[in-house]
C-alpha cells in the first residue's frame, strides 16, 4: 500500500494461507464483460497472494450462440441466456453486472434478494429514482456492493487522493474536470446504438462519461452542493445498422456544468463524444492553497504536481511525477519503476479490492464506490439535466 494510506493491495488474514474461491456470475460479454473477465483471470497470479480466487462459474447473455462462444473464449464453466436462472445457481456468490444501463436495476435487486454480492457497472442506474431501490435492496440484504467507477483505482488518482486528504494541498479552491471522446462524430458513420437511446441508456455523454468525473469530484474533493448546466445534442437522427430506417437520438451528446462543493470549492465538469482527436482524454485539476494537481487519463501513469513556493521563482512550475514507484498505491504487485501499466489494470485493482472486502468482511468505502456512491452520482447527474432544462441552478438533495 502507499505510505500512510488505507489502500489495501494484499490479502487479509483470512486469505494468507489458502485463498478461498468466490464464484462469479457475469451478465454481459462485450466491452465490460471482457474487461472484468481479464481482471478476474489476472488476479490470482499478479495480486499475490490474492484475497480470493475468482471462479468463473457462468456468463449470461440473450444471444445463445454469442454467449456460448464468450464462455468458451473467456473460460467460464457454463453460460445462461436468462439472468434469473443464473442467479438461482448456488455456485454464484458474486454477481457482476456489465449489461446495458436498463439491465442494472432489476437484476441487481434480484441478486441482492438472493444474497449475492454485487458489482455493477456505472452508471448505477438510468436515474436516481431507479438507483434508490437498488441501494435499499443491498442495504436490506447485507451484501457487499460496489459500482465500477474503476478510475478510483488508477494509482496516480489514488496518490492524488492521499495528498488531498492528508491536507498537503490545504484548502481546496477549484476542481475542473473534462472527459472528451470522439467516437460518434460524423466521420465515424456510427449507426444508432443503445447508448443513444434514453429508454436504455438514461442519458448520453453525461451517464457514459460525466458520471466518472462526477464520482471523481466527490472522491477527491467532497460532496457537491449545487449545479448549473447546459447540454447539447448535435445529431438527432441516425440510421439503424440493419437498414430498417432512422432512429431518434434523445440523449445528450455533450454537457457542461458548474458545481459548488459543500467545502466551499467551485468546479466545472464537461464531457462530450464530439471532440476530434480525443480518444479517452479524461483530465482533471485540483487547485489548493498550498499546491495544485493535474491528471490526464491518456497519460495515466503520470501526475503533475505544483507546490507553492517550493523552488526559486526562475524554475518554479509543475513537475511531471511518474507514479510507478513500489511505494505508490498498488504498485508493489507490478513491475520495476518506470515499467508502466495500462487501463485494464484499473479493473484488476478494483476487483481485488472488492474480493478482499467480500472474503475479509471489509468496508468497500471509502476507496471503492458503493451503491451509495452510485446513487449520489445519479442524483447529481439528474440535477445536471434538470439545471440544463430549466436554465437555473439546482440544489443537490439526496
Amino acid at each position: 500500500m502507499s505510505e500512510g494510506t488505507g489502500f489495501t493491495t494484499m490479502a487479509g488474514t483470512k486469505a494468507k494461507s489458502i485463498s478461498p474461491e468466490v464464484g462469479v456470475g457475469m451478465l454481459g460479454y462485450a466491452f465490460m464483460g471482457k474487461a472484468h473477465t481479464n481482471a478476474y483471470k489476472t488476479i490470482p497470479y499478479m495480486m499475490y497472494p490474492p484475497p480470493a480466487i475468482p471462479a468463473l462459474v457462468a456468463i449470461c447473455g440473450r444471444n445463445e450462440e454469442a454467449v456460448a462462444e464468450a464462455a468458451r473464449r473467456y473460460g467460464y464453466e457454463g453460460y445462461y441466456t436468462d439472468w434469473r436462472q443464473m442467479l438461482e445457481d448456488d455456485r454464484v456468490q458474486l454477481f457482476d453486472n456489465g449489461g446495458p444501463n436498463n439491465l442494472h436495476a432489476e437484476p441487481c435487486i434480484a441478486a441482492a434478494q438472493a444474497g449475492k454480492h454485487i458489482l455493477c457497472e456505472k452508471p448505477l442506474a438510468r436515474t436516481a429514482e431507479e438507483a434508490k431501490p437498488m441501494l435499499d435492496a443491498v442495504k436490506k440484504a447485507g451484501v457487499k456492493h460496489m459500482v465500477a467507477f474503476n478510475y478510483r483505482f488508477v494509482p496516480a488518482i489514488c496518490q492524488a487522493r492521499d495528498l488531498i486528504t492528508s491536507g498537503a494541498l490545504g484548502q481546496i479552491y477549484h476542481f475542473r474536470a473534462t472527459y472528451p471522446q470522439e467516437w460518434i462524430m460524423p466521420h465515424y458513420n456510427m449507426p444508432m446504438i443503445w447508448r443513444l437511446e434514453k429508454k436504455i441508456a438514461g442519458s448520453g455523454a453525461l451517464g457514459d462519461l460525466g458520471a466518472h468525473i462526477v464520482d471523481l469530484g466527490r472522491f477527491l474533493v467532497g460532496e457537491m452542493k449545487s449545479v448549473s448546466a447546459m447540454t447539447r445534442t448535435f445529431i438527432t437522427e441516425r440510421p439503424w445498422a440493419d437498414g430498417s430506417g432512422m432512429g431518434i437520438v434523445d440523449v445528450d451528446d455533450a454537457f457542461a456544468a458548474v458545481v459548488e462543493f459543500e467545502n466551499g470549492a467551485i468546479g466545472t465538469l464537461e464531457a462530450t463524444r464530439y471532440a476530434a482527436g480525443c480518444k479517452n482524454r479524461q483530465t482533471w485539476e485540483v487547485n489548493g492553497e498550498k499546491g495544485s494537481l493535474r491528471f490526464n487519463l491518456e497519460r495515466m501513469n503520470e501526475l503533475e504536481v505544483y507546490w507553492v513556493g517550493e523552488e526559486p521563482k526562475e524554475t518554479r512550475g509543475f513537475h511531471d511525477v511518474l507514479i510507478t514507484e513500489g511505494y505508490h498505491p498498488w504498485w508493489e504487485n507490478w513491475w520495476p519503476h518506470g515499467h508502466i501499466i495500462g487501463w485494464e489494470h484499473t479493473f484488476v485493482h478494483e476487483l481485488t479490492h472488492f474480493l478482499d472486502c467480500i472474503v475479509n468482511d471489509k468496508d468497500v468505502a471509502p476507496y471503492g464506490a458503493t451503491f451509495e456512491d452510485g446513487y449520489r452520482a445519479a442524483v447529481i447527474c439528474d440535477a445536471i439535466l434538470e439545471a440544463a432544462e430549466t436554465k437555473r441552478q439546482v440544489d443537490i438533495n439526496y
Side-chain angles (χ1 to χ4, degrees), residues 114 135 154 254 276 281 324:
L135 174 59
V154 175
R281 194 176 174 81
T324 64

Side-chain angles (χ1 to χ4, degrees), residues 130-153:
E130 191 174 57
K132 186 58 165 59
M134 300 172 71
L135 174 59
D136 293 341
V138 294
K139 284 183 174 180
K140 182 177 180 179
V143 297
K144 299 295 182 183
H145 47 94
M146 189 163 77
V147 184
F149 282 121
N150 59 303
Y151 298 128
R152 290 183 175 217
F153 293 90

Side-chain angles (χ1 to χ4, degrees), residues 41-112:
K41 299 185 79 167
T42 302
I43 286 169
Y45 58 86
M46 287 305 300
M47 310 306 283
Y48 195 81
I53 304 296
L56 304 184
V57 173
I59 192 167
C60 182
R62 288 174 295 183
N63 183 314
E64 183 167 10
E65 182 180 357
V67 74
E69 172 57 28
R72 289 191 295 269
R73 175 182 177 185
Y74 297 154
Y76 285 83
E77 296 175 31
Y79 67 88
Y80 291 92
T81 56
D82 187 332
W83 56 262
R84 297 170 184 84
Q85 292 180 357
M86 186 171 72
L87 291 179
E88 293 173 357
D89 190 330
D90 291 337
R91 298 172 300 164
V92 174
Q93 300 162 275
L94 166 56
F95 174 57
D96 188 324
N97 190 338
N101 300 350
N102 65 322
L103 282 179
H104 286 184
E106 186 181 2
C108 284
I109 291 171

Side-chain angles (χ1 to χ4, degrees), residues 113-126:
Q113 294 170 342
K116 315 292 186 183
H117 305 293
I118 307 167
L119 173 73
C120 184
E121 258 303 327
K122 62 80 209 165
L124 180 60
R126 292 171 290 185

Side-chain angles (χ1 to χ4, degrees), residues 234-269:
F234 299 113
I235 296 178
T236 57
E237 290 186 334
R238 289 176 181 266
W240 291 104
D242 62 5
S244 60
M246 300 296 289
I248 302 300
V249 178
D250 54 1
V251 297
D252 56 287
D253 287 329
F255 85 93
V258 177
V259 299
E260 176 187 15
F261 289 87
E262 289 184 355
N263 61 12
I266 62 172
T268 58
L269 307 171

